[in-house]
Amino acid sequence: MKIYDLASPFLNHYEPSKEYYENYFNQHPQIYSYYFDHHCKNKELKLENALKAHPNKIEQMSWITEKLKSLTPQITKEYEKRYPIKFTKDVYIFVGLGGSNAYTYRSMDPHIAFCVEKFEQNETGLKVIIAHEFGHAVHHLFTTHNGIDAKDIQWRNPFTWLLQEGVATYLSTLVVSADQDIYFAYQQDPEWLTFCEENTKTFINVFQQDLAQCTSAEIFKEWFSINGGQTFGYSRLGYYIAYLLVKHLVDEEGIENAMLYWGHSDFEARMKSLLRTF
């Protein structure tokens, strides 16, 4: 595994101009083209906003960059102790324009990216987001290790997202000690967690209704995206549902079987049945 720090050169020579940003993006086309295609829409508007916000965050982003570089090897070593996997692919740390905070990509050949402008100076929160993203990588590598082919997984199915996010969240609780809300928000957000705990049945019922009548894209935005949450006023409620489902599976069958759950031929039917238990 190699960690590529693309943030420090950007921050060390920072200039608040569109030309500076565009020149830098063009120096790393593979990283930024994927980022803008998949994780940061409306680039021009976000660039305008970044030019206003970033000058006051240079020191903070530098601190976050250094922490990500030092904490990542600690988290990956802990996972490698627990599971028969080895992280060999690349990690990228860079400055984005306020899209996703972090993501895992290339499916069963997982690479990881962290966008430093999206984080606060909270070391525990950074540990959790690292553990979450590498939790996805663990899940994918463990799946391959056990003979499940990526082409047999329904990647655009909301039930797949539930398993993925539930596994990553659950795994993060094993390798990082934190308050419960931080596992979902990567910073303290007790109000969000209290809402989830007090309204679980209500929003799971609405989620099930949406599964029956909405497109996958609509479900993703409302339940899994930070830009969703129109129904209840809280975004990413799908992560809480996902965690509950996987925690139930782990209690019944263990984490290894939970990670391989998408290998069942009747995976979707099983997930629907699980949802009905809450």
Side-chain angles (χ1 to χ4, degrees):
M1 181 184 76
K2 185 170 182 179
I3 299 175
Y4 291 91
D5 173 12
L6 307 185
S8 293
F10 179 93
L11 297 169
N12 291 342
H13 305 284
Y14 182 74
E15 295 177 16
S17 70
K18 288 185 177 181
E19 292 75 18
Y20 182 78
Y21 282 78
E22 291 294 353
N23 287 339
Y24 201 78
F25 298 155
N26 291 335
Q27 289 176 36
H28 308 284
Q30 287 186 315
I31 299 303
Y32 282 106
S33 61
Y34 184 90
Y35 172 69
F36 289 120
D37 284 346
H38 298 276
H39 293 279
C40 188
K41 305 295 185 182
N42 302 314
K43 175 184 172 183
E44 293 305 318
L45 176 61
K46 285 187 168 66
L47 179 53
E48 292 286 349
N49 293 334
L51 286 167
K52 298 173 185 175
H54 286 181
N56 298 319
K57 296 176 65 176
I58 300 302
E59 186 175 336
Q60 175 177 311
M61 289 192 282
S62 295
W63 183 91
I64 290 164
T65 299
E66 293 307 311
K67 284 295 180 181
L68 287 170
K69 287 160 60 178
S70 65
L71 294 172
T72 295
Q74 298 175 27
I75 301 295
T76 56
K77 286 177 184 176
E78 182 61 33
Y79 275 134
E80 289 175 344
K81 288 179 189 175
R82 291 172 177 265
Y83 302 104
I85 57 169
K86 186 74 176 174
F87 296 111
T88 61
K89 300 305 178 182
D90 299 329
V91 178
Y92 295 93
I93 301 170
F94 63 91
V95 179
L97 299 181
S100 297
N101 55 9
Y103 51 90
T104 303
Y105 63 112
R106 296 189 185 177
S107 185
M108 297 315 201
D109 184 31
H111 293 54
I112 311 253
F114 296 103
C115 309
V116 299
E117 83 286 358
K118 291 288 288 184
F119 299 112
E120 300 297 325
Q121 285 183 261
N122 181 319
E123 184 166 324
T124 301
L126 290 176
K127 286 181 179 178
V128 170
I129 188 65
I130 293 167
H132 185 100
E133 292 307 320
F134 276 95
H136 285 306
V138 169
H139 188 191
H140 292 186
L141 292 169
F142 190 77
T143 296
T144 301
H145 179 78
N146 283 274
I148 298 175
D149 197 313
K151 66 179 176 55
D152 295 325
I153 296 173
Q154 302 172 48
W155 294 104
R156 297 182 180 275
N157 189 322
F159 291 107
T160 298
W161 305 335
L162 286 174
L163 186 69
Q164 287 179 293
E165 298 305 340
V167 165
T169 303
Y170 181 83
L171 288 175
S172 72
T173 70
L174 300 182
V175 297
V176 178
S177 178
D179 292 336
Q180 190 75 1
D181 52 340
I182 296 178
Y183 293 118
F184 299 97
Y186 316 119
Q187 59 188 2
Q188 291 190 323
D189 193 349
E191 180 183 314
W192 184 93
L193 183 61
T194 298
F195 173 83
C196 290
E197 293 173 340
E198 294 179 350
N199 298 276
T200 304
K201 289 185 178 179
T202 300
F203 65 74
I204 284 182
N205 284 336
V206 175
F207 179 73
Q208 289 174 301
Q209 294 169 19
D210 283 0
L211 286 172
Q213 61 192 22
C214 297
T215 66
S216 292
E218 290 169 336
I219 291 168
F220 181 84
K221 181 176 182 181
E222 172 63 14
W223 295 95
F224 294 91
S225 171
I226 197 168
N227 297 314
Q230 297 303 307
T231 304
F232 294 101
Y234 292 90
S235 65
R236 291 164 54 96
L237 296 180
Y239 281 67
Y240 190 76
I241 299 172
Y243 175 74
L244 291 181
L245 294 181
V246 169
K247 180 66 166 59
H248 181 82
L249 278 174
V250 171
D251 290 343
E252 293 289 319
E253 305 185 27
I255 182 58
E256 288 82 5
N257 287 327
M259 284 196 281
L260 301 177
Y261 211 64
W262 50 14
H264 291 292
S265 59
D266 59 345
F267 168 67
E268 184 169 322
R270 286 171 179 252
M271 292 293 282
K272 287 180 179 178
S273 179
L274 272 176
L275 269 179
R276 290 194 291 269
T277 65
F278 292 95

